[in-house]
Amino acid sequence: MSGTSALPRAGAVTVHRVGRAALLLEVGSDAEVAALLREVTEQWKAGELGEVAEVVPAARTVLLDGVAAPEAVAHRFAGHRPTALPPGAGPLVEVETVYDGADLAEVAGYWGVSPAEAVRIHTGCEYRVAFCGFAPGFAYLTGLPERYAVPRRATPRTRVPAGSVALAGPYTGVYPGASPGGWQLLGRTGLPLWDPAAEPAALLAPGVRVRFRAAA
């Protein structure tokens, strides 16, 4: 276990062995995942964890795969309490958005406000990429207050256009390509999110901060 200070009321890391060479580090919130991911990544890059092939965050876990010395790494993190992220940590990406989504009025209804106020709420938050998945370049963004969580659509759409800015549960996301989807559509952006020829290929990687700005 490392000697870092604890997050207020944060739970300790629970370590699960996964197969012969992987560890699943579990915490209790997305904020703790973000803090734990930063610590794991820093120690990984510094060579303090030995050989680790891949680090993959999710909603409540950080997976370490291809671990050469899993017992030693498990001992290092078992019971550890992640240190809170400093304000403003991580690079910032601004997403210019046209707020004309098919579900904007419905989302405003869930929130009990006008569509214009819903836009103000959405652009007034700072988000953080918690983890990626669903499709290449698709990032799950946290930062919207819990009271603004909305349900997925009862019937998913068979095709959501690329660049659609959307909500589901506590997350905001931007569809990097056209695909089926059941998130509530707020608007659209022309910002490219996925380019296999770029390094990194995904514009919105875990730890990146995101702000949405309403297009004039």
Side-chain angles (χ1 to χ4, degrees), residues 21 23 49 65 67 79 81 109 130-131 137 147 152-153 167 195:
L23 297 171
L49 305 182
D65 194 18
V67 184
R81 294 175 182 269
F131 58 97
R147 65 182 181 278
R152 294 170 182 263
R153 294 190 59 77
L167 301 178
D195 180 0

Side-chain angles (χ1 to χ4, degrees), residues 170-187:
Y171 298 110
T172 291
V174 184
Y175 284 79
S179 70
W183 289 38
Q184 308 278 359
L185 306 184
L186 293 185

Side-chain angles (χ1 to χ4, degrees), residues 99-204:
Y99 282 92
D100 61 356
D103 303 320
L104 176 59
E106 187 170 337
V107 170
Y110 282 125
W111 293 352
V113 301
S114 67
E117 179 65 7
V119 172
R120 190 196 66 76
I121 292 169
H122 192 251
T123 55
C125 299
E126 180 172 293
Y127 302 84
R128 178 180 295 277
V129 179
F131 58 97
C132 298
F134 168 61
F138 189 94
Y140 290 77
L141 308 178
T142 59
L144 197 66
E146 186 176 354
R147 65 182 181 278
Y148 295 127
V150 297
R152 294 170 182 263
R153 294 190 59 77
T155 303
R157 293 181 169 89
T158 56
R159 184 181 185 280
V160 175
S164 294
V165 175
L167 301 178
Y171 298 110
T172 291
V174 184
Y175 284 79
S179 70
W183 289 38
Q184 308 278 359
L185 306 184
L186 293 185
R188 54 191 162 87
T189 179
L191 189 65
L193 298 176
W194 175 252
D195 180 0
E199 180 57 44
L203 177 65
L204 303 182

